[in-house]
Amino acid sequence: MPNTSTPKTSVLNNPTVNKFLPKDILLLLTIMWIVFLIDFFIPFATFNSFGIRPRSLSGLMGIIFSPFLHGGFGHIISNSISLLGTGILVRLAVGSKQLRYVLLLGILGSGIGTWLFGSGGLVVGASGLVYALIGFLFTQAFFNPSLRSWFSAILAFVLFGGALLSLFNMLPYISWAAHFWGFVSGIGIAYLFKARNNEKAV
């Protein structure tokens, strides 16, 4: 007798969900929240010690780990919303495959910049990656103009333009270096995409 039951699919593999929400962003958010909740419910221990410690050899691993670590519910909720919104816009501009490269390079670029030029202390959070996505969205339309890239850039400016104010204002307990170097990384990634597109056109 044939099996007529519908196969079960996870949220990450659900076609309806993936039509609107980038799979890679959902994976990042899932890891972020799992790490945060484990850390929250384990007493006398914290994963945040694996964050970025500027110019410290022990803080180098924080370049990779920092985006998955957060200081509290307000911190992770704010970054989750921003990461989801900017991730959707980047996928709209360049597609899912390119989004993966932007995420990877954004993590590395913002993390390395923070490690090299951060003012000190421990830096955790995905805000550096968020600013990398914002920087990419704003400049992708300039370096690689298309209807999709300009539409995404305009939406990004409307939704996240206010975030740029933090680049001109240093606030306590907020890493200006992560925001600044994340934004610079996004610009650099957009330029790399332009250079690669030019090579393909030759």
Side-chain angles (χ1 to χ4, degrees):
M1 184 175 181
N3 185 1
T4 58
S5 61
T6 303
K8 295 182 179 180
T9 58
S10 67
V11 173
L12 294 179
N13 293 320
N14 189 300
T16 304
V17 171
N18 287 328
K19 183 178 180 180
F20 300 101
L21 305 179
K23 184 177 180 179
D24 294 312
I25 294 294
L26 291 178
L27 180 60
L28 283 176
L29 291 175
T30 299
I31 296 173
M32 278 169 47
W33 277 95
I34 289 175
V35 170
F36 178 79
L37 291 174
I38 291 175
D39 194 27
F40 182 80
F41 287 109
I42 293 179
F44 313 115
T46 176
F47 293 146
N48 285 357
S49 59
F50 295 103
I52 298 174
R53 297 182 185 274
R55 295 170 301 282
S56 168
L57 289 178
S58 63
L60 273 172
M61 57 185 176
I63 294 173
I64 300 298
F65 294 149
S66 181
F68 304 100
L69 308 173
H70 291 82
F73 276 103
H75 190 201
I76 191 171
I77 289 172
S78 174
N79 279 344
S80 295
I81 294 172
S82 299
L83 185 58
L84 182 61
T86 52
I88 290 173
L89 292 178
V90 170
R91 187 178 73 167
L92 176 64
V94 297
S96 297
K97 184 178 180 180
Q98 304 303 329
L99 168 62
R100 191 167 301 146
Y101 293 121
V102 177
L103 290 173
L104 177 59
L105 294 175
I107 290 174
L108 293 175
S110 61
I112 292 172
T114 304
W115 187 84
L116 288 173
F117 302 105
S119 58
L122 188 67
V123 180
V124 298
S127 58
L129 174 58
V130 169
Y131 273 80
L133 298 183
I134 293 174
F136 177 83
L137 285 165
F138 284 177
T139 52
Q140 168 72 1
F142 174 76
F143 289 127
N144 303 287
S146 68
L147 181 61
R148 291 171 62 186
S149 63
W150 274 108
F151 180 68
S152 300
I154 292 171
L155 276 179
F157 183 79
V158 171
L159 296 173
F160 302 102
L164 298 182
L165 296 176
S166 70
L167 298 179
F168 304 96
N169 188 18
M170 294 187 181
L171 299 174
Y173 308 112
I174 295 178
S175 176
W176 180 85
H179 292 184
F180 177 78
W181 290 107
F183 190 79
V184 170
S185 297
I187 296 174
I189 296 166
Y191 182 79
L192 287 175
F193 274 41
K194 176 186 178 181
R196 189 179 66 175
N197 290 339
N198 289 341
E199 289 180 359
K200 289 182 177 180
V202 174

